[in-house]
Amino acid sequence: MATLILVRHGRSTANTAGLLAGWTPGVSLDERGAAQAAGLPDRLAGVELAAVVSSPLQRCLETLQPLLDARPGLDVRTDERIGECHYGDWSGRKLAELAGEPLMEVVQRHPSAAVFPGGESMRAMQARAVEAVRDWNARVEEEHGEDAAFLMCSHGDIIKSLVADALGMHLDLFQRIHVDPCSVTVIRYTRLSPFVLRLGDTGDLGGSAPRGGGGGGAGVVGGGAGAP
């Protein structure tokens, strides 16, 4: 089956403000995020893409624009199923404030049981994203053959949940996965098994340096802002 290249959107204004954006409109890339997006065409220069699919949210479409400008024959199609998790009443709130909510411990330790107030469950988020990948895999393979590659631009929690699915991990373990803004994750799907070929690759090892604070072993809901 086809090879999936997952790109998390570049760093956004919500990331730098410490906000959980969700589907809040008007969240764009910040200056660093725009620079990350500008580097995407060179990073993917050696990859022929059969299709490009995006979350409909602004920060994802802005991330893809330099790539589309560099490849005029390439069109982007949007799919709401790979849009950000619907965080409901949590959307637009500060992550530091949400850290004190009892639900946050569930999100960290037992995400398969987490349902955001006024939003969706993390199980539903993963299910729709996996369904989208399977559908696009079949479509791309049928139209372009099993050696084709296609790109999806999405969000931190969506990508982490897709990686967990590919690795056969329970959703309750997905907070152990980390993907920085504008990082590239590659999954090769075959008839019997998916293979994770690359995870959270930014082309910059600076993000691997200790960041201090320890964090108490908590995953960053929404994906975080990446290396400083």
Side-chain angles (χ1 to χ4, degrees):
M1 297 177 71
T3 296
L4 170 62
I5 299 172
L6 286 162
V7 177
R8 185 184 167 201
H9 63 78
R11 196 173 75 175
S12 72
T13 54
N15 293 145
T16 46
L19 300 176
L20 186 62
W23 284 71
T24 305
V27 176
S28 63
L29 299 183
D30 68 4
E31 186 175 350
R32 181 183 177 95
Q36 291 169 333
L40 202 55
D42 285 343
R43 292 170 63 197
L44 295 173
V47 182
E48 183 177 348
L49 295 172
V52 175
V53 187
S54 179
S55 156
L57 293 173
Q58 179 179 338
R59 53 197 182 273
C60 287
L61 294 171
E62 287 181 354
T63 298
L64 289 176
Q65 195 56 55
L67 179 65
L68 299 174
D69 290 342
R71 303 192 190 191
L74 205 55
D75 296 321
V76 62
R77 286 172 279 189
T78 60
D79 191 327
E80 290 196 357
R81 294 175 296 177
I82 59 166
E84 182 62 285
C85 184
H86 290 278
Y87 296 116
D89 297 344
W90 279 26
S91 299
R93 292 178 61 187
K94 284 192 170 293
L95 287 163
E97 172 189 315
L98 292 169
E101 295 278 355
L103 177 60
M104 184 59 85
E105 187 175 10
V106 181
V107 170
Q108 293 294 332
R109 297 180 180 273
H110 190 21
S112 64
V115 182
F116 294 100
E120 70 179 332
S121 69
M122 301 200 90
R123 285 183 295 105
M125 173 200 75
Q126 183 187 45
R128 62 174 165 85
V130 170
E131 179 185 52
V133 166
R134 299 297 183 182
D135 286 351
W136 282 100
N137 263 337
R139 185 183 309 188
V140 168
E141 183 179 3
E142 181 179 355
E143 295 178 3
H144 302 278
E146 63 180 14
D147 293 325
F150 69 106
L151 183 149
M152 282 185 163
C153 186
S154 189
H155 307 267
D157 282 348
I158 295 289
I159 294 172
K160 287 161 56 179
S161 73
L162 289 170
V163 171
D165 172 75
L167 291 174
M169 291 171 55
H170 197 283
L171 183 62
D172 285 345
L173 302 178
F174 99 125
Q175 296 289 20
R176 301 182 185 188
I177 300 167
H178 183 79
V179 290
D180 273 340
C182 222
S183 62
V184 174
T185 294
V186 182
I187 304 173
R188 169 71 174 168
Y189 289 87
T190 72
R191 185 174 64 86
L192 297 179
S193 301
F195 294 88
V196 178
L197 306 181
R198 191 160 296 190
L199 175 62
D201 189 343
T202 62
D204 177 4
L205 294 178
S208 301
R211 301 181 191 179
V220 180
V221 181

